[in-house]
Coordinates of all heavy atoms in Angstrom, one line a residue:
M1 N 121.8 116.0 104.1 CA 120.8 116.8 104.9 C 119.8 115.9 105.5 O 119.2 115.0 104.9 CB 120.2 117.8 103.8 CG 119.2 118.8 104.5 SD 118.7 119.9 103.1 CE 117.5 120.8 104.0
E2 N 119.6 116.2 106.7 CA 118.6 115.3 107.5 C 117.2 115.7 107.1 O 116.8 116.8 107.0 CB 118.8 115.6 109.0 CG 117.9 114.8 109.9 CD 118.1 115.2 111.3 OE1 119.0 115.8 111.7 OE2 117.1 114.8 112.1
Q3 N 116.5 114.7 106.8 CA 115.0 114.9 106.4 C 114.2 114.8 107.6 O 114.2 113.7 108.3 CB 114.6 113.9 105.3 CG 115.2 114.2 104.0 CD 114.2 114.0 102.9 OE1 113.1 113.6 103.0 NE2 114.8 114.4 101.7
I4 N 113.4 115.8 108.0 CA 112.6 115.7 109.1 C 111.1 115.9 108.5 O 110.8 116.8 107.8 CB 112.9 116.8 110.1 CG1 114.3 116.7 110.6 CG2 111.8 116.8 111.2 CD1 114.7 117.9 111.5
N5 N 110.3 115.0 108.9 CA 108.8 115.1 108.5 C 108.1 115.8 109.6 O 107.9 115.4 110.7 CB 108.2 113.6 108.4 CG 106.9 113.7 107.8 OD1 105.9 114.2 108.4 ND2 106.8 113.1 106.6
R6 N 107.7 117.0 109.2 CA 107.1 118.0 110.1 C 105.6 117.4 110.5 O 105.2 117.6 111.7 CB 106.9 119.4 109.4 CG 108.1 120.1 109.3 CD 108.8 120.4 110.7 NE 107.8 121.2 111.5 CZ 107.8 121.1 112.8 NH1 108.6 120.5 113.4 NH2 106.9 121.8 113.5
L7 N 105.0 116.7 109.6 CA 103.7 116.1 110.0 C 103.8 115.2 111.2 O 103.0 115.2 112.1 CB 103.0 115.4 108.8 CG 101.7 114.8 109.1 CD1 100.7 115.9 109.7 CD2 101.1 114.2 107.9
K8 N 104.7 114.3 111.1 CA 105.0 113.3 112.1 C 105.3 114.0 113.5 O 104.9 113.7 114.5 CB 106.1 112.4 111.7 CG 106.2 111.2 112.6 CD 107.4 110.2 112.3 CE 107.7 109.9 111.0 NZ 108.8 108.9 110.8
V9 N 106.1 115.0 113.4 CA 106.6 115.8 114.6 C 105.4 116.5 115.2 O 105.1 116.5 116.4 CB 107.7 116.8 114.2 CG1 108.0 117.7 115.3 CG2 108.9 116.1 113.8
V10 N 104.6 117.2 114.4 CA 103.4 117.9 114.9 C 102.4 117.0 115.5 O 101.8 117.2 116.5 CB 102.7 118.8 113.7 CG1 101.5 119.5 114.3 CG2 103.8 119.9 113.4
L11 N 102.1 115.8 114.9 CA 101.3 114.8 115.4 C 101.8 114.4 116.8 O 100.9 114.4 117.8 CB 101.2 113.6 114.6 CG 100.3 113.7 113.4 CD1 100.4 112.5 112.4 CD2 98.8 113.9 113.8
A12 N 103.1 114.2 116.9 CA 103.6 113.8 118.2 C 103.5 114.9 119.3 O 103.1 114.7 120.4 CB 105.1 113.4 118.1
E13 N 103.8 116.2 118.8 CA 103.6 117.4 119.8 C 102.1 117.4 120.3 O 101.9 117.8 121.4 CB 104.0 118.6 119.0 CG 105.5 118.7 118.8 CD 105.9 119.9 117.9 OE1 104.9 120.6 117.5 OE2 107.1 120.1 117.8
K14 N 101.2 117.2 119.4 CA 99.7 117.3 119.7 C 99.2 116.0 120.4 O 98.0 115.9 120.7 CB 98.9 117.6 118.5 CG 99.3 118.9 117.8 CD 98.6 120.0 118.6 CE 98.9 121.3 118.0 NZ 98.1 122.5 118.6
Q15 N 100.1 115.1 120.6 CA 99.7 113.8 121.1 C 98.6 113.1 120.4 O 97.7 112.6 120.9 CB 99.5 113.8 122.6 CG 100.7 114.4 123.4 CD 100.4 114.5 124.9 OE1 99.3 114.5 125.4 NE2 101.4 114.6 125.6
K16 N 98.7 113.1 119.1 CA 97.7 112.5 118.2 C 98.5 111.5 117.3 O 99.6 111.5 117.1 CB 97.1 113.5 117.2 CG 96.4 114.8 117.9 CD 95.1 114.3 118.6 CE 94.4 115.5 119.2 NZ 93.3 115.1 120.0
T17 N 97.7 110.5 116.8 CA 98.2 109.5 115.9 C 97.8 109.7 114.5 O 96.9 110.4 114.2 CB 97.6 108.1 116.4 OG1 96.2 108.1 116.2 CG2 97.9 107.8 117.9
G18 N 98.5 109.0 113.6 CA 98.1 109.0 112.3 C 96.7 108.4 112.0 O 95.9 109.0 111.2
K19 N 96.3 107.4 112.8 CA 95.1 106.9 112.8 C 94.0 107.9 113.0 O 93.0 108.0 112.4 CB 94.9 105.7 113.7 CG 93.6 104.9 113.6 CD 93.5 103.8 114.6 CE 92.1 103.2 114.5 NZ 92.0 102.1 115.4
W20 N 94.2 108.7 114.2 CA 93.3 109.8 114.5 C 93.2 110.8 113.4 O 92.0 111.1 113.0 CB 93.7 110.5 115.7 CG 93.0 111.7 116.0 CD1 91.8 111.7 116.8 CD2 93.2 113.0 115.6 NE1 91.3 113.0 116.8 CE2 92.3 113.8 116.2 CE3 94.2 113.6 114.9 CZ2 92.2 115.2 116.0 CZ3 94.2 114.9 114.8 CH2 93.2 115.8 115.2
L21 N 94.3 111.1 112.7 CA 94.3 112.1 111.6 C 93.5 111.5 110.4 O 92.7 112.2 109.8 CB 95.7 112.5 111.2 CG 95.7 113.6 110.2 CD1 95.1 114.8 110.7 CD2 97.2 113.8 109.8
A22 N 93.7 110.2 110.2 CA 93.0 109.6 109.0 C 91.6 109.6 109.2 O 90.8 110.0 108.3 CB 93.5 108.2 108.9
E23 N 91.1 109.3 110.4 CA 89.7 109.2 110.8 C 89.1 110.7 110.7 O 88.0 110.9 110.2 CB 89.4 108.7 112.2 CG 89.7 107.2 112.2 CD 89.6 106.6 113.5 OE1 89.5 107.3 114.6 OE2 89.8 105.3 113.7
S24 N 89.9 111.7 111.2 CA 89.4 113.1 111.2 C 89.3 113.6 109.9 O 88.3 114.5 109.6 CB 90.3 114.0 112.0 OG 90.4 113.5 113.3
L25 N 90.1 113.2 108.9 CA 90.2 113.7 107.5 C 89.3 112.8 106.6 O 89.2 113.1 105.4 CB 91.5 113.8 107.0 CG 92.5 114.7 107.7 CD1 93.8 114.6 107.1 CD2 92.0 116.2 107.6
E26 N 88.8 111.6 107.2 CA 88.1 110.6 106.4 C 89.0 110.2 105.2 O 88.6 110.1 104.0 CB 86.8 111.1 105.9 CG 85.8 111.6 106.9 CD 84.5 112.0 106.5 OE1 84.3 112.3 105.3 OE2 83.7 112.2 107.5
K27 N 90.2 109.9 105.6 CA 91.3 109.4 104.6 C 91.6 107.9 105.0 O 91.4 107.6 106.2 CB 92.5 110.2 104.5 CG 92.2 111.6 104.1 CD 92.2 111.7 102.6 CE 92.0 113.2 102.2 NZ 91.8 113.3 100.7
N28 N 92.2 107.3 104.1 CA 92.7 105.9 104.4 C 93.9 106.0 105.3 O 94.8 106.9 105.1 CB 93.1 105.2 103.1 CG 93.5 103.8 103.3 OD1 94.4 103.5 103.9 ND2 92.8 102.9 102.7
G29 N 94.0 105.2 106.3 CA 95.2 105.2 107.2 C 96.5 105.0 106.5 O 97.5 105.6 106.9
A30 N 96.5 104.2 105.5 CA 97.8 104.1 104.7 C 98.2 105.3 104.0 O 99.4 105.6 103.9 CB 97.6 102.9 103.6
T31 N 97.3 106.1 103.5 CA 97.5 107.3 102.9 C 98.3 108.3 103.9 O 99.4 108.8 103.6 CB 96.3 108.1 102.4 OG1 95.7 107.2 101.5 CG2 96.6 109.4 101.8
V32 N 97.7 108.4 105.1 CA 98.3 109.2 106.2 C 99.7 108.7 106.5 O 100.7 109.4 106.7 CB 97.4 109.4 107.4 CG1 98.1 110.1 108.5 CG2 96.0 110.1 107.0
S33 N 99.8 107.4 106.6 CA 101.1 106.8 106.9 C 102.1 107.2 105.9 O 103.3 107.4 106.2 CB 101.0 105.2 107.0 OG 102.2 104.7 107.3
R34 N 101.8 107.2 104.6 CA 102.7 107.5 103.6 C 103.1 109.0 103.7 O 104.3 109.3 103.4 CB 102.1 107.2 102.2 CG 102.1 105.8 101.9 CD 101.9 105.5 100.4 NE 100.5 105.9 100.0 CZ 99.4 105.2 100.0 NH1 99.5 104.0 100.6 NH2 98.2 105.7 99.6
W35 N 102.2 109.8 104.1 CA 102.5 111.2 104.3 C 103.6 111.4 105.4 O 104.5 112.1 105.4 CB 101.3 112.1 104.7 CG 100.2 112.3 103.6 CD1 100.4 112.0 102.4 CD2 98.9 112.5 103.9 NE1 99.2 112.2 101.7 CE2 98.2 112.5 102.6 CE3 98.2 112.8 105.0 CZ2 96.9 112.8 102.5 CZ3 96.8 113.2 104.9 CH2 96.2 113.2 103.6
C36 N 103.4 110.6 106.5 CA 104.3 110.6 107.7 C 105.6 110.1 107.4 O 106.6 110.5 108.1 CB 103.6 109.9 108.9 SG 102.2 110.8 109.5
T37 N 105.7 109.2 106.4 CA 107.0 108.6 106.0 C 107.7 109.3 104.8 O 108.7 108.8 104.3 CB 107.0 107.2 105.8 OG1 106.0 106.9 104.8 CG2 106.5 106.5 107.2
N38 N 107.0 110.3 104.3 CA 107.5 111.1 103.1 C 107.6 110.2 101.8 O 108.2 110.5 100.9 CB 109.0 111.6 103.4 CG 109.0 112.8 104.1 OD1 108.0 113.6 104.2 ND2 110.1 113.1 104.9
E39 N 106.7 109.1 101.8 CA 106.5 108.3 100.6 C 105.7 109.1 99.6 O 105.8 108.9 98.4 CB 106.0 107.0 100.9 CG 106.9 106.1 101.6 CD 106.3 104.7 102.0 OE1 105.6 104.2 101.1 OE2 106.4 104.4 103.1
S40 N 104.8 109.9 100.1 CA 104.0 110.8 99.2 C 103.7 112.0 100.0 O 103.9 112.1 101.3 CB 102.7 110.1 98.8 OG 101.9 109.9 99.9
Q41 N 103.1 113.0 99.4 CA 102.8 114.3 100.0 C 101.3 114.6 99.8 O 100.8 114.4 98.7 CB 103.7 115.5 99.5 CG 105.1 115.2 99.7 CD 105.5 115.1 101.2 OE1 105.0 115.8 102.0 NE2 106.4 114.1 101.5
P42 N 100.7 115.2 100.8 CA 99.3 115.6 100.5 C 99.3 116.8 99.6 O 100.2 117.6 99.4 CB 98.8 116.0 101.9 CG 100.1 116.3 102.7 CD 101.1 115.6 102.1
S43 N 98.1 117.0 99.0 CA 97.8 118.2 98.1 C 97.9 119.4 99.0 O 97.7 119.3 100.2 CB 96.6 118.1 97.4 OG 95.4 118.2 98.3
L44 N 98.1 120.6 98.4 CA 98.1 121.8 99.2 C 96.7 122.0 99.9 O 96.7 122.5 101.1 CB 98.4 123.1 98.2 CG 98.6 124.4 98.9 CD1 99.7 124.3 100.0 CD2 98.9 125.4 97.9
E45 N 95.7 121.8 99.2 CA 94.4 121.9 99.9 C 94.3 121.0 101.1 O 93.7 121.3 102.2 CB 93.2 121.4 99.0 CG 93.0 122.4 97.7 CD 92.0 122.0 96.8 OE1 91.7 120.8 96.8 OE2 91.5 122.9 96.0
T46 N 94.7 119.7 101.0 CA 94.7 118.8 102.0 C 95.6 119.2 103.3 O 95.3 119.0 104.4 CB 95.1 117.4 101.6 OG1 94.2 117.0 100.6 CG2 95.0 116.4 102.8
L47 N 96.8 119.8 102.8 CA 97.7 120.3 103.8 C 97.1 121.4 104.7 O 97.2 121.4 105.9 CB 98.9 120.9 103.2 CG 100.2 121.0 104.0 CD1 100.7 119.6 104.6 CD2 101.3 121.6 103.1
V48 N 96.3 122.3 104.1 CA 95.5 123.3 104.8 C 94.5 122.7 105.7 O 94.4 123.1 106.9 CB 94.9 124.3 103.8 CG1 94.0 125.3 104.5 CG2 96.0 125.1 103.0
T49 N 93.8 121.7 105.2 CA 92.9 121.0 106.1 C 93.5 120.3 107.3 O 93.0 120.3 108.4 CB 92.1 119.9 105.2 OG1 91.4 120.6 104.1 CG2 91.0 119.2 106.1
I50 N 94.7 119.7 107.1 CA 95.4 119.0 108.1 C 95.8 120.1 109.2 O 95.6 119.9 110.4 CB 96.7 118.4 107.6 CG1 96.4 117.1 106.7 CG2 97.7 117.9 108.7 CD1 97.5 116.6 105.9
A51 N 96.3 121.2 108.7 CA 96.7 122.3 109.6 C 95.5 122.8 110.5 O 95.7 122.9 111.8 CB 97.3 123.4 108.9
K52 N 94.4 122.9 109.9 CA 93.2 123.3 110.6 C 92.7 122.3 111.6 O 92.4 122.5 112.7 CB 92.0 123.6 109.6 CG 92.1 124.9 108.9 CD 91.0 125.1 107.9 CE 91.2 126.3 107.1 NZ 90.2 126.5 106.0
T53 N 92.8 121.0 111.1 CA 92.5 119.8 112.0 C 93.4 119.8 113.2 O 92.9 119.5 114.4 CB 92.5 118.5 111.3 OG1 91.6 118.6 110.1 CG2 92.1 117.4 112.1
L54 N 94.6 120.1 113.1 CA 95.6 120.0 114.1 C 95.7 121.3 114.8 O 96.5 121.4 115.8 CB 97.0 119.6 113.6 CG 97.2 118.1 113.1 CD1 98.4 117.9 112.4 CD2 97.0 117.2 114.3
D55 N 95.1 122.4 114.4 CA 95.1 123.7 115.0 C 96.5 124.3 115.0 O 96.9 124.8 116.1 CB 94.4 123.7 116.5 CG 94.1 125.1 117.0 OD1 93.9 125.9 116.2 OD2 94.3 125.2 118.2
V56 N 97.0 124.2 113.9 CA 98.5 124.8 113.7 C 98.4 125.7 112.4 O 97.6 125.4 111.6 CB 99.5 123.7 113.6 CG1 99.7 123.0 114.9 CG2 99.4 122.8 112.5
D57 N 99.4 126.6 112.3 CA 99.6 127.3 111.1 C 100.2 126.2 110.1 O 101.0 125.5 110.4 CB 100.6 128.5 111.4 CG 100.7 129.4 110.2 OD1 101.1 128.9 109.1 OD2 100.4 130.6 110.4
V58 N 99.7 126.4 108.9 CA 100.2 125.6 107.9 C 101.7 125.5 107.6 O 102.3 124.5 107.3 CB 99.4 125.8 106.4 CG1 100.0 127.1 105.9 CG2 99.6 124.6 105.5
K59 N 102.3 126.6 108.0 CA 103.8 126.7 108.0 C 104.5 125.8 108.9 O 105.6 125.3 108.6 CB 104.3 128.1 108.2 CG 104.0 129.1 107.1 CD 104.5 130.5 107.5 CE 103.4 131.5 107.7 NZ 103.9 132.8 108.1
E60 N 103.8 125.4 110.0 CA 104.4 124.4 110.9 C 104.5 123.0 110.3 O 105.2 122.2 110.7 CB 103.6 124.4 112.2 CG 103.7 125.6 113.0 CD 103.0 125.4 114.4 OE1 103.3 124.5 115.1 OE2 102.3 126.3 114.7
L61 N 103.9 122.8 109.2 CA 103.8 121.4 108.6 C 104.8 121.4 107.4 O 105.0 120.4 106.8 CB 102.4 121.1 108.0 CG 101.3 121.0 109.1 CD1 100.0 120.8 108.4 CD2 101.6 119.9 110.0
L62 N 105.5 122.5 107.1 CA 106.4 122.5 106.1 C 107.9 122.7 106.6 O 108.1 123.4 107.5 CB 106.2 123.8 105.2 CG 104.8 123.8 104.5 CD1 104.4 125.1 103.8 CD2 104.5 122.7 103.6
N63 N 108.8 122.1 105.9 CA 110.2 122.3 106.2 C 110.7 123.6 105.5 O 110.3 123.8 104.4 CB 111.1 121.1 105.6 CG 110.9 119.9 106.5 OD1 110.6 119.9 107.7 ND2 111.2 118.7 105.9
S64 N 111.6 124.2 106.2 CA 112.2 125.4 105.6 C 113.2 125.0 104.4 O 113.9 124.1 104.6 CB 113.0 126.2 106.6 OG 113.7 127.2 106.0
T65 N 113.0 125.7 103.3 CA 113.9 125.4 102.2 C 115.1 126.4 102.2 O 116.0 126.4 101.4 CB 113.2 125.6 100.9 OG1 112.5 126.8 100.7 CG2 112.1 124.4 100.8
K66 N 115.1 127.3 103.2 CA 116.0 128.3 103.3 C 117.3 127.8 104.0 O 117.1 127.1 105.0 CB 115.5 129.5 104.1 CG 116.0 130.8 103.8 CD 115.2 131.9 104.7 CE 115.7 133.3 104.2 NZ 115.0 134.3 105.0
K67 N 118.5 128.1 103.5 CA 119.7 127.5 104.0 C 120.0 128.4 105.2 O 120.0 129.7 105.2 CB 120.8 127.6 103.1 CG 120.6 126.6 101.9 CD 121.9 126.5 101.1 CE 121.7 125.5 100.0 NZ 122.9 125.3 99.1
K68 N 120.5 127.7 106.3 CA 120.9 128.5 107.5 C 122.3 129.0 107.3 O 123.1 128.3 106.8 CB 120.8 127.7 108.7 CG 119.4 127.3 109.1 CD 119.3 126.5 110.3 CE 117.9 126.2 110.6 NZ 117.8 125.4 111.9
V69 N 122.6 130.3 107.6 CA 123.9 130.9 107.4 C 124.7 130.8 108.7 O 124.2 130.9 109.8 CB 123.8 132.3 106.9 CG1 125.1 132.9 106.7 CG2 123.0 132.2 105.7

């Protein structure tokens, strides 16, 4: 199954960088980089903050776990 990192996709769609997101959230750039490469995941609270910062619904940052028929 192909793994797609939604955060990385949404950042690209919004023409924003991980560095911009890190500065906006006052997080370490390496932390945001790990989120973008699926090495780690942000907490649910942080995910909500990311969605607000990017002006998207939090669902846009999540992969669907539902199997397509």
